[in-house]
Amino acid sequence: MMRITNLLKQYTDIVFPVICVCCGCSAGQRYKYICDWCVNERFEPAQPERNEIFPECVRIQFSLWNFDKGGYLQQLLHDLKYNNLRGVGEELGYLLGRKFIQGCPEDFSTEFETKKPVLVPVPLHRSKRRKRGFNQARVISEGIIKVTDWDIVDLGAIIRVKSTKTQTGLNLAQRSENLNNAFKIVHNDDLNETIPIIVDDVFTTGATTFELAKTLADAGAGKSVILTIAKA
Ligand SMILES: [Zn+2]
């Protein structure tokens, strides 16, 4: 009996590793991918932005950490996107949701009683989703709802109708032009009563999330909050 228990423990440790994906130290508990030290010390916290350069349809932009080109965060986000590390994505989403609830400089508490916050993961074009098998922004959203009671917009309710090539090297105006009318609302049950919380992995120039916020505002939603794991 003892041996079976030992075997089972070894097996579950293989299936659910407790080693931090950043530093290789023990992550402390099962189902955890990043250790407390890495969460608290390795990355630089991002400061919330309430800048007037945002379009009218955007209320605030809030990120967990500053992007570290060539660093651990870039690797984590790359693994999430291309190596399908869903557990990492959910854990990052959980940390982002917790930081937003605890540290958002704007008080949404009364508004959230009358207008429901709804998570809107930035949709991928179907060709990209088919290739990748999943949408990393939706995985991050699934982590956020572990600390909030918010809903995630139905898969297929908002779609990306324009497939864009890499935006690298383009400025904000060129990116915005590239993304014009990139999103389409397929069904819009009660957007009027919601505050959209747009979710993505990285905030760079904002062209993608701004275009999505505009599409949502045109359909009657309130000003969007933009939540991302990293801010470049
Ligand atoms: Zn670590």
Side-chain angles (χ1 to χ4, degrees):
M1 192 63 190
M2 190 68 179
R3 282 188 59 191
I4 294 171
T5 316
N6 286 346
L7 274 174
L8 189 66
K9 178 160 188 322
Q10 282 171 19
Y11 173 73
T12 50
D13 280 351
I14 294 165
V15 178
F16 307 112
V18 289
I19 300 296
C20 172
V21 291
C22 294
C23 70
C25 287
S26 169
Q29 66 197 76
R30 205 153 289 168
Y31 304 112
K32 224 168 156 244
Y33 291 81
I34 311 166
C35 75
D36 289 342
W37 187 86
C38 285
V39 164
N40 297 317
E41 308 290 337
R42 185 177 292 283
F43 305 110
E44 186 182 52
Q47 299 306 317
E49 288 279 356
R50 278 183 293 182
N51 202 316
E52 64 276 12
I53 59 159
F54 287 165
E56 179 61 19
C57 53
V58 173
R59 173 115 168 228
I60 189 169
Q61 189 275 323
F62 194 94
S63 299
L64 184 57
W65 294 314
N66 287 328
F67 193 68
D68 58 349
K69 198 161 171 45
Y72 286 94
L73 184 54
Q74 183 175 21
Q75 186 61 46
L76 273 182
L77 295 173
H78 180 275
D79 286 345
L80 163 64
K81 210 186 257 186
Y82 300 104
N83 299 333
N84 198 354
L85 288 188
R86 284 164 189 260
V88 170
E90 281 187 24
E91 191 161 320
L92 292 173
Y94 172 86
L95 295 169
L96 172 62
R98 193 178 65 179
K99 182 182 171 185
F100 181 72
I101 298 289
Q102 293 173 346
C104 179
E106 280 193 46
D107 184 8
F108 285 95
S109 48
T110 26
E111 266 175 88
F112 283 176
E113 281 169 19
T114 48
K115 285 190 170 178
K116 192 156 173 52
V118 173
L119 293 166
V120 182
V122 172
L124 289 179
H125 188 263
R126 66 176 187 280
S127 59
K128 208 173 258 183
R129 204 179 65 228
R130 204 180 301 131
K131 204 162 138 192
R132 217 175 271 172
F134 73 109
N135 176 357
Q136 74 277 6
R138 188 160 279 272
V139 173
I140 295 167
S141 303
E142 280 158 12
I144 297 175
I145 59 168
K146 289 181 177 170
V147 262
T148 62
D149 59 351
W150 304 341
D151 290 330
I152 306 179
V153 83
D154 291 344
L155 187 69
I158 301 162
I159 57 170
R160 189 165 183 150
V161 286
K162 212 167 166 182
S163 174
T164 43
K165 293 200 178 77
T166 177
Q167 304 260 75
T168 313
L170 303 182
N171 63 29
L172 178 58
Q174 291 164 324
R175 287 178 186 222
S176 302
E177 172 63 31
N178 211 14
L179 285 156
N180 194 28
N181 298 322
F183 301 103
K184 187 180 160 204
I185 295 180
V186 178
H187 64 83
N188 148 14
D189 290 340
D190 35 24
L191 278 174
N192 285 323
E193 299 304 316
T194 63
I195 299 177
I197 316 269
I198 295 175
V199 179
D200 208 358
D201 51 358
V202 185
F203 183 88
T204 311
T205 61
T208 308
T209 45
F210 292 170
E211 177 63 24
L212 181 55
K214 183 173 153 288
T215 308
L216 292 163
D218 288 347
K223 285 185 172 196
S224 290
V225 171
I226 298 170
L227 293 188
T228 64
I229 301 299
K231 184 169 144 193

